[in-house]
Amino acid sequence: MLPRLLLLICAPLCEPAGLLLIVSPSHPTEGSPVNLTCKMPSLQSSDAQFQFCFFRDAQALGPGWSSSPKLQIANMWKEDSGSYWCEAQTMASKVLRSWRSQINVHRVPVADVSLETQPPGGQVMEGDRLVLICSVAMGTGDITFLWYKGAIGLNLQTKTQRSLTAEYEIPTARESDAEQYYCVAENGYGPRPSGLVSITVRIPVSRPILMVRAPRAQAVVGDVLKLHCEALRGSHPILYWFYHEDVILGSSSAPSGGGASFNLSLTAEHSGNYSCEANNGLGAQRSEEVTLNFTGRRSTRDPLRSLPSPVPQEFPYLNSPTPGQLQPTYENEPREQSVAVHGRQQHSSEQKAQKPWGHIWRTRFP
């Protein structure tokens, strides 16, 4: 009410002559300060006391009437554009008014939009927090930030705030979050996109499965045994180690999946427990042990084709005390057979708990 009352009082009494409003800078940009000075170059009496007040579009600014002829506005924004003037009042209630000055606050368009990640480098462990930080090097006023997933642009979130940076958070990173991302920023002068950033979700290896393949169900000294180790989940590359009684037999790398194999020429000392280990730098996992017992070399006078029939297609054994001594029957000379061990595994991303099967040996014809 006071500013309006003063304006009503001022209407018949105000004199525009002799009072100037000085604006510095005259063309401000958003976020910058502006200094207003009410100057009376034709002041006759040096000891006259005045009260000053500054206005924008009929509203008093700052503290209202004061003895200071200066007023600083710390941050100017686009909505602060308008018509400004000042008034001075003498002790005799004579009011002087300056001419109006139009102040237009200029907005700086956004520029140099970039997208960064936390953790840096675009790599995150499965289950960890991922933050996508969208930033602009220049831009004033309210800036709208938008985040997109994939090159086709699936909008994830939109934020509008008076800031040069904004964040989009994925609290728990999943394998499905591995994708390309970009962000867009705009403040009324058109959208400005960032470049694409690739996100890699690192997955620790699951417990591997060890599969043993031999040329016959009852492997003998001199046969070549193939040990195949494979982790069903885990980021590549994966390094596999093969063990016999906890002694390293060798290692092999799988750059792009499918597991790894190791060939072993059997000797009499090779009976015992076998296992394998998978490691992709995010933690190692060891398979269940496979126990194999081997007999001496088969005589050349005892060909395999003399074995009786019929031919069984599969021979499962649960918790076999001597799983290496399988006794299938054959109709003709068999080709390579496979012996596999399945333990407590978690298959695929469903991570469903399964009951332990113990040692299951399967011998089959390929």
Side-chain angles (χ1 to χ4, degrees), residues 174-254:
R174 301 298 181 194
E175 188 175 5
S176 58
D177 295 321
E179 189 44 284
Q180 289 184 318
Y181 294 81
Y182 67 96
C183 70
V184 172
E186 70 97 12
N187 63 346
Y189 292 89
R192 297 290 185 270
S194 72
L196 288 171
V197 173
S198 295
I199 298 298
T200 302
V201 180
R202 300 283 289 158
I203 303 172
V205 293
S206 60
R207 192 176 189 185
I209 298 172
L210 177 62
M211 180 175 287
V212 182
R213 294 188 177 98
R216 66 191 92 236
Q218 175 81 45
V220 298
V221 172
D223 286 343
V224 176
L225 202 67
K226 177 183 278 189
L227 307 178
H228 184 80
C229 189
E230 183 173 355
L232 301 180
R233 295 193 78 240
S235 299
H236 301 105
I238 300 175
L239 182 62
Y240 292 93
W241 295 85
F242 297 88
Y243 296 88
H244 172 233
E245 299 293 352
D246 289 331
V247 176
I248 296 175
L249 295 173
S251 63
S252 182
S253 178

Side-chain angles (χ1 to χ4, degrees), residues 26 29-30 40 51 54 58 61 70 78 106 115 122 126 137 142 148 156 160 165-166 202 210 215 218 283 294 351 358:
S26 57
T29 58
E30 281 194 314
M40 294 186 297
Q51 293 287 311
F54 296 85
L61 302 176
K70 296 182 179 181
K78 187 72 174 177
H106 299 277
L115 181 64
E126 184 181 42
D142 290 339
Y148 293 92
L156 299 172
T160 300
T165 63
R202 300 283 289 158
L210 177 62
Q218 175 81 45
F294 307 115
Q351 299 291 305

Side-chain angles (χ1 to χ4, degrees), residues 76-97:
M76 292 286 285
W77 304 106
K78 187 72 174 177
E79 54 267 28
D80 293 324
S81 298
S83 179
Y84 288 75
W85 74 90
C86 68
E87 294 181 3
Q89 184 178 23
T90 66
M91 296 298 293
S93 299
K94 183 179 180 180
V95 177
L96 302 177
R97 177 189 289 182

Side-chain angles (χ1 to χ4, degrees), residues 259-286:
S261 298
F262 179 80
N263 292 333
L264 177 66
S265 182
L266 296 179
T267 67
E269 292 78 22
H270 281 148
S271 292
N273 297 322
Y274 288 80
S275 62
C276 68
E277 183 179 88
N279 193 337
N280 64 352
L282 306 176
Q285 290 283 350
R286 195 80 166 260

Side-chain angles (χ1 to χ4, degrees), residues 37-173:
T37 303
C38 203
K39 190 174 183 181
M40 294 186 297
S42 60
L43 184 64
Q44 300 296 326
S45 176
S46 59
D47 59 349
Q49 294 184 356
F50 285 85
Q51 293 287 311
F52 299 90
C53 189
F54 296 85
F55 298 88
R56 181 191 73 232
D57 297 334
Q59 286 195 343
L61 302 176
W65 292 95
S66 73
S67 59
S68 175
K70 296 182 179 181
L71 175 68
Q72 184 184 64
I73 303 175
N75 300 104
M76 292 286 285
W77 304 106
K78 187 72 174 177
E79 54 267 28
D80 293 324
S81 298
S83 179
Y84 288 75
W85 74 90
C86 68
E87 294 181 3
Q89 184 178 23
T90 66
M91 296 298 293
S93 299
K94 183 179 180 180
V95 177
L96 302 177
R97 177 189 289 182
S98 70
W99 295 105
R100 292 173 181 263
S101 296
Q102 183 68 30
I103 299 178
N104 294 315
V105 183
H106 299 277
R107 179 164 290 173
V108 178
V110 296
D112 299 329
V113 182
S114 62
L115 181 64
E116 299 178 350
T117 65
Q118 188 61 246
Q123 290 197 357
V124 61
M125 284 281 291
E126 184 181 42
D128 286 356
R129 176 175 176 261
L130 173 65
V131 180
L132 304 177
I133 306 169
C134 191
S135 304
V136 298
M138 298 176 61
T140 59
D142 290 339
I143 300 177
T144 299
F145 297 89
L146 305 97
W147 289 264
Y148 293 92
K149 179 180 181 180
I152 61 173
L154 172 64
N155 182 240
L156 299 172
Q157 192 177 48
T158 301
K159 284 184 179 180
T160 300
Q161 57 191 57
R162 189 160 289 179
S163 172
L164 296 179
T165 63
E167 297 181 354
Y168 169 69
E169 178 183 350
I170 300 175
T172 306

